[in-house]
Amino acid sequence: MVLSTISGSNQHVPLLLDYGVEEASGAIYMVYDYFGHMNVFSMLSSSYSLFEVKRIMRGVLRAIQAAKTRSMIHRDVKHTNVVYDLEKAEARLIDWGQAVFHIPGVPLTLNVGTSVFKPPELLISFPLYDYSVDIWAAGHLLACLTFNVESLFPPGNIEQLLPQLAALLGTQGFLEYCEKRRIPLSFTQETVLRQCEGARPSWGKFLGQNNRELATPEAIDLLEKMLVLNPE
C-alpha cells in the first residue's frame, strides 16, 4: 500500500495502525490513530483566524514535503481532505487513496483529483506531471482560506476551467511550456490562452470585509508563487 510508505512520517500524515480486506465485498478497511479534528471545508462557513490559516498551511505543506522525499504525489489535496485539531493547532492531510509514486518519464493517470482543484497539466491531459500538482492544489486551498470561499471557480464543466484559470491568473509562460513539452492544445484552448497573455493575477473580486484580516500582502504573495500555470 502506498500509504504505508508515508504513514506517520510526521504529525501531519495519518498513522496507519492496521488494515484488512472484507471477505464478502473485497473492500479494504484501514485503522488510523485518533486525531480530534474539524474538517477544513466546514471551517469556511465559520470564522477563523490568520493564525489558524498559517497552521493549516504549515501542516499541509509539511505533509506534501514528506511525500516528495519519498517520491510520492498525493494528487487530491483539497479542503475536504485536510483536518485541523483546534486544541493542538495542528493539521493533517488525509485520504491518500489517489497517491502514487513518481518516476520521471513514466506517464501517470489523468482521471485523478477534484475538478476545481485540478492543475493546468491535468486540464490539458499531460500525463508526465510531477509534484507541482500538489503545490497547485495547496495554493488553491490557501486561496480558499485567504478569501473565505469554497473555491476560486464555480463548479461546472471542467472544459471551462482552463479559460477561467487563464482569465484570473494570466498565462505566465504556459504556452511556452506547452510548446517546449510538445503538448497539443485545441484551437479553443490556444485561443483563450493567447488572449490572456501578459495578464496579471487579479484578486479584487474576492476581497471583502469578511476576509480583510486574512488577505495579507504576504498571503497574496505566496498565492501568486503557488498558483502559477507554468509548473516549471
Side-chain angles (χ1 to χ4, degrees), residues 144-174:
C144 292
L145 290 166
T146 298
F147 301 124
N148 196 11
V149 295
E150 293 183 8
S151 172
L152 291 177
F153 312 102
N157 190 335
I158 194 170
E159 294 180 0
Q160 300 173 352
L161 190 53
L162 184 61
Q164 291 170 341
L165 293 181
L168 176 64
L169 302 169
T171 60
Q172 305 160 319
F174 190 55

